[in-house]
Amino acid sequence: MDADICLKEIEAALDGLLPPADGETASLHAAMRWAVEGGGKRLRPLLCLAAAEAVGGRAAEAIMPACAVELLHSYTLVHDDLPAMDNDTRRRGRPSTWAKFGEAVAILAGDALQALAFATLARTPETAPGTAAKLLAALGNGGIGVVRGQTADLDASCHNLDFIYEHKTADLFVAAACMGAIAGGGTDAQVEQLRTFAMHLGLAFQHEDDIIDDDSPIGRDEALRQVQAHTAAATAALDGLPGDVSLLRNLAERLADRTR
Amino acid sequence: MDADICLKEIEAALDGLLPPADGETASLHAAMRWAVEGGGKRLRPLLCLAAAEAVGGRAAEAIMPACAVELLHSYTLVHDDLPAMDNDTRRRGRPSTWAKFGEAVAILAGDALQALAFATLARTPETAPGTAAKLLAALGNGGIGVVRGQTADLDASCHNLDFIYEHKTADLFVAAACMGAIAGGGTDAQVEQLRTFAMHLGLAFQHEDDIIDDDSPIGRDEALRQVQAHTAAATAALDGLPGDVSLLRNLAERLADRTR
């Protein structure tokens, strides 16, 4: 499956999972759709589908985990933007969820998106015994990790940049890739390869974001070195995988290209 | 297992699941513990363990789902108390989580508790193929439902009391009982019996709470009639279950006794 087809499948699946914006809780449902339909790049779900192909599975087998990680990522953005957190009124060129729907509905929409993320995993076909529990553990670790990273990032006394980047950014990349490998029928060793790939990809991505925003805490030159080193380590982790790794390579190169 | 032993098992298991209050995100972990260790009655986990026994399983098989539903319930209280929601500075005779740790940490602690709730399900022994996916669907539905109920409750234009009570209160009772029945090895029909029991128990519980707080929107007399009717319907739903239903009966009677 090429990246454009993957993207269309992801958008269609997300639309089918989100509740219709009517009924007793129309405002909640509208806010959930607003948060998810804001034009994100869908990096994490693409990574999930690509990981399924890299272990020799089909991208279609990983579509529910792919949606789950995007729903979870979307909730973190809704909560990060809240006045008590980053206090952002804009996101992707339009009002953030709380700016449009109010704080209470935004808190609740984030909460519902996280619940929907996990509920979505239950729809993944059970390709092997224990698949559901493995997916759940992977998304659960990612979901806890991303909150730990945001907590450390908000804490002015925390200067452990590695900890912040690893958890705030890389943990959801790791969850996406591991879930794709699990849903695609990968062995435990292959899932670990994908974990290594995604950890480095996530760290490269965060340093790239810092460079693009021109606010790297380690300086532009050192950040560029980090991007190169992590992109190389990510690519090296793919050696020996039995499936098609072209989508994963493309993803890593497209990300690194942003800073060239 | 009697109720006192169940309670001790629940407290010990929750303590083991919550992260230690140290490290990079000590404040987050302290807030999570504060929210869970506030002296709740543990009704939902008790219901979960009792449901496992009612279908002929062992309470011990349901300990992880029991903890999961309590972690999820705890997060909803943390977020409900926030200034943008009910703005409560007190909970169970001490400062609410945001009053003690600040809004940002309280939002994050709630988010992490929800993630931990779902992650906890992955630790349930797989008694039959598909158990993990069924537990996940049950907790996912409860997690989405409780947010819909809170949204409707905060919406001054929503006067559908049945909708609010069913979702805000009964949905997590239903999740607890269904997960207990699933983990205990119950048939689909038995899980449905437990769902009916828990729905009525939850509605009776909410009307009792209204009576105790002397603020029932339907008046004390009608609320008392609702408690009686729902308690009777709950008890009737237990007919024919193969296991020990004494814990479930005790739970229903103890709750109803609060208004006598």
Side-chain angles (χ1 to χ4, degrees):
Chain A
M1 213 188 275
D2 78 10
D4 287 342
I5 297 177
C6 283
L7 263 178
K8 274 188 195 150
E9 296 283 334
I10 292 162
E11 297 297 340
L14 285 170
D15 184 61
L17 287 165
L18 288 163
D22 58 14
E24 302 289 343
T25 52
S27 62
L28 176 76
H29 295 180
M32 291 168 74
R33 286 190 168 269
W34 183 262
V36 175
E37 293 170 351
K41 295 180 292 292
R42 312 305 191 199
L43 283 180
R44 293 156 194 80
L46 281 173
L47 173 56
C48 185
L49 299 188
E53 292 201 340
V55 299
R58 288 177 301 114
E61 293 172 313
I63 191 78
M64 287 296 127
C67 289
V69 75
E70 185 69 5
L71 292 167
L72 199 138
H73 171 61
S74 300
Y75 114 71
T76 66
L77 300 182
V78 173
H79 282 188
D80 284 358
D81 286 341
L82 286 168
M85 309 270 276
D86 296 343
N87 195 21
D88 278 323
T89 58
R90 309 283 297 174
R91 161 79 56 188
R92 294 171 186 152
R94 54 184 206 159
S96 59
T97 306
W98 76 267
K100 184 162 176 80
F101 294 91
E103 271 186 76
V105 170
I107 293 167
L108 291 163
D111 291 342
L113 284 171
Q114 179 167 204
L116 182 60
F118 283 101
T120 295
L121 284 189
R123 297 175 176 230
T124 312
E126 186 96 356
T127 44
T131 301
K134 284 182 188 173
L135 292 172
L136 188 45
L139 192 65
N141 286 337
I144 294 166
V146 71
V147 177
R148 297 187 71 209
Q150 172 71 352
T151 304
D153 197 19
L154 285 175
D155 179 355
S157 72
C158 177
H159 304 291
N160 188 339
L161 201 67
D162 289 341
F163 181 93
I164 295 171
Y165 284 11
E166 180 184 328
H167 291 292
K168 184 171 170 149
T169 308
D171 274 357
L172 279 194
F173 280 67
V174 167
C178 289
M179 289 199 298
I182 294 162
T187 64
D188 288 350
Q190 289 162 1
V191 173
E192 283 311 305
Q193 277 184 266
L194 268 301
R195 176 191 305 281
T196 304
F197 171 83
M199 176 59 71
H200 288 295
L201 187 73
L203 293 172
F205 176 78
Q206 184 59 58
H207 286 293
E208 289 150 14
D209 257 16
D210 291 347
I211 294 166
I212 292 166
D213 296 345
D214 202 18
D215 70 348
S216 173
I218 58 176
R220 183 185 164 84
D221 289 347
E222 175 57 22
L224 276 168
R225 272 190 292 275
Q226 291 286 329
V227 170
Q228 282 188 331
H230 285 299
T231 303
T235 310
L238 300 178
D239 279 353
L241 285 172
D244 178 3
V245 296
S246 59
L247 261 175
L248 286 179
R249 279 190 204 279
N250 287 348
L251 211 54
E253 281 160 23
R254 258 175 49 204
L255 292 184
D257 272 346
R258 296 184 306 156
T259 51
R260 275 179 202 146
Chain B
M1 214 187 272
D2 79 8
D4 287 340
I5 297 176
C6 284
L7 263 178
K8 274 188 197 150
E9 297 282 335
I10 291 162
E11 297 298 341
L14 285 170
D15 184 58
L17 287 164
L18 287 163
D22 58 16
E24 301 290 343
T25 51
S27 62
L28 177 76
H29 295 179
M32 291 168 74
R33 286 190 169 268
W34 183 261
V36 175
E37 293 169 351
K41 296 181 291 295
R42 312 301 191 200
L43 282 180
R44 293 157 194 79
L46 281 173
L47 174 55
C48 184
L49 299 188
E53 293 202 339
V55 299
R58 289 177 301 114
E61 295 172 312
I63 192 78
M64 287 297 128
C67 289
V69 75
E70 186 68 5
L71 292 168
L72 199 139
H73 172 60
S74 300
Y75 114 70
T76 66
L77 300 183
V78 174
H79 282 188
D80 284 358
D81 286 342
L82 286 167
M85 309 271 274
D86 296 345
N87 195 20
D88 277 324
T89 57
R90 308 283 297 173
R91 160 79 57 188
R92 295 170 184 153
R94 54 184 204 158
S96 58
T97 305
W98 76 266
K100 185 161 177 78
F101 294 91
E103 271 186 76
V105 171
I107 293 168
L108 291 163
D111 290 343
L113 284 170
Q114 179 166 206
L116 182 60
F118 282 101
T120 296
L121 284 188
R123 298 174 175 232
T124 312
E126 186 97 357
T127 45
T131 301
K134 284 182 188 174
L135 292 172
L136 187 46
L139 192 65
N141 286 336
I144 295 166
V146 71
V147 178
R148 297 187 71 207
Q150 173 71 353
T151 304
D153 198 18
L154 284 175
D155 178 357
S157 71
C158 178
H159 304 293
N160 188 340
L161 201 66
D162 289 342
F163 180 93
I164 295 170
Y165 284 14
E166 182 184 325
H167 291 291
K168 184 173 169 147
T169 309
D171 274 356
L172 279 193
F173 280 67
V174 167
C178 289
M179 289 199 297
I182 293 163
T187 65
D188 288 350
Q190 289 162 1
V191 173
E192 283 310 305
Q193 277 183 266
L194 269 301
R195 175 191 305 281
T196 304
F197 171 83
M199 176 60 69
H200 288 295
L201 188 74
L203 294 172
F205 175 79
Q206 184 59 57
H207 285 294
E208 288 151 14
D209 257 15
D210 292 347
I211 293 166
I212 293 165
D213 295 343
D214 203 17
D215 70 349
S216 173
I218 57 175
R220 182 183 164 84
D221 290 349
E222 176 56 21
L224 278 168
R225 272 192 291 274
Q226 291 286 329
V227 171
Q228 282 189 331
H230 284 299
T231 303
T235 310
L238 300 178
D239 279 354
L241 286 171
D244 178 2
V245 296
S246 59
L247 260 177
L248 287 178
R249 278 189 206 281
N250 287 348
L251 210 55
E253 279 161 23
R254 257 175 50 203
L255 292 184
D257 272 348
R258 297 184 304 156
T259 51
R260 276 179 199 141

